[in-house]
Amino acid sequence: MLCLEFSCADSMSTILSVDLPTKLLAFTVLQLIVYVDYKGCFSYIMASDNSINRKVIAGYMVALKVVLSEILSASMIFTVRQSQFTFRMLWIDFIALIVAAFFSAFFKMGISSARESDIKLDYMNKFLHAQENIIQTFAEIMEAKSGETGKHVRRVAEYSQLLAKKLGQGTENAAYIRVVSMMHDVGKLMIPLEILEKQGSLDENEFEVMKTHTTYGDQLLSHSNGTVMNIARDIAYEHHEKWDGSGYPRGLHGDQISLTAQIVAVADVYDALTSKRAYKDAWPPETAKAEILNQTGKHFSPAVVDAFCSCYNDIENARKAYPD
């Protein structure tokens, strides 16, 4: 972009000048104007993590270069014929200035828009981080009550974000899913301790009580509004639904189940399989992966399982990063 800017400035100074000294003067003045106009933006423009669409900006500058080249050609024609006139054709200079100002305005608008977007994104990230800390603390207390570890909710969160991104969710949505997935078992707060802390398998009646944690989760989160809490509610209510309709609490099937719940279902089961529990030993990762694949189209969404396989190495890295 710097090369394009210098090239445009060179064409502009050639149009405005009558000889080499005035061209150098015009070029210097143009660069000073650019510096003064954009000095507050230089650090942002040069940052590697800004949201500026460089292709669009480069497109503006290429267009400006083309237009200035055409004006320069016209200027040279009139310069040849200038002996027929008693004054320089200043209107060409005026047109060049208007065109340059027009493209400069679009360029600056693009930077301002990107900068505003980055400020909002930074605020959202800070707010989400604060929410995440609160939710994680709450989730760790909840998991401790149910005999599991806080690292379980952290791992499920990491897996869920990876799967969401692989399934085409935007950065913002994937971040939301990462945070709210930690509340998938919030309804367990309403389950009696003798069931949560039971060593070994649950009997039929106890399992029926355990299943109610999904409806309790829906009820607990139903009093909060907003995008984040709506996603959390879907996950808490539906993460035990199954693709073939054999899950609970409502027997939803296929895409009747929200995508976020489909994602968390895979993340939750994979982590449960690869973690030690009071009633079982941890499965080897490859065995757990084979079970996820075996449940494609039965327990799990085929699309989510495909995403799971695509980012399996990243999921394994996340599992190792948060050991119990």
Side-chain angles (χ1 to χ4, degrees), residues 159 162-167 262-263 266-267 270 285-297 300-317:
Y159 304 163
L162 289 167
L163 290 170
K165 287 183 176 179
K166 186 62 68 172
L167 287 163
Q262 295 173 28
I263 288 170
V266 172
Y270 181 72
E286 287 299 326
T287 305
K289 179 184 178 183
E291 177 61 17
I292 297 293
L293 288 170
N294 184 53
Q295 290 298 318
T296 303
F300 304 122
S301 156
V304 178
V305 174
D306 285 345
F308 171 82
C309 293
S310 296
C311 61
Y312 180 72
N313 289 337
D314 292 329
I315 286 174
E316 267 300 283
N317 289 336

Side-chain angles (χ1 to χ4, degrees), residues 168-234:
Q169 296 293 303
T171 301
E172 185 174 332
N173 273 354
Y176 285 155
I177 293 169
R178 175 177 179 272
V179 173
V180 300
S181 67
M182 290 190 282
M183 292 191 287
H184 65 279
D185 278 338
V186 65
K188 285 185 178 179
L189 290 171
M190 310 300 291
I191 303 300
L193 279 175
E194 58 267 23
I195 292 178
L196 288 176
E197 296 178 349
K198 181 178 179 179
Q199 301 292 313
S201 300
L202 302 177
D203 63 33
E204 185 177 345
N205 290 332
E206 290 168 336
F207 184 60
E208 288 300 316
V209 174
M210 177 63 83
K211 283 160 60 174
T212 62
H213 81 276
T214 56
T215 52
Y216 280 130
D218 174 59
Q219 293 167 12
L220 288 170
L221 297 172
S222 65
H223 302 292
S224 301
N225 296 319
T227 302
V228 173
M229 296 312 294
N230 285 335
I231 296 173
R233 185 180 177 186
D234 286 342

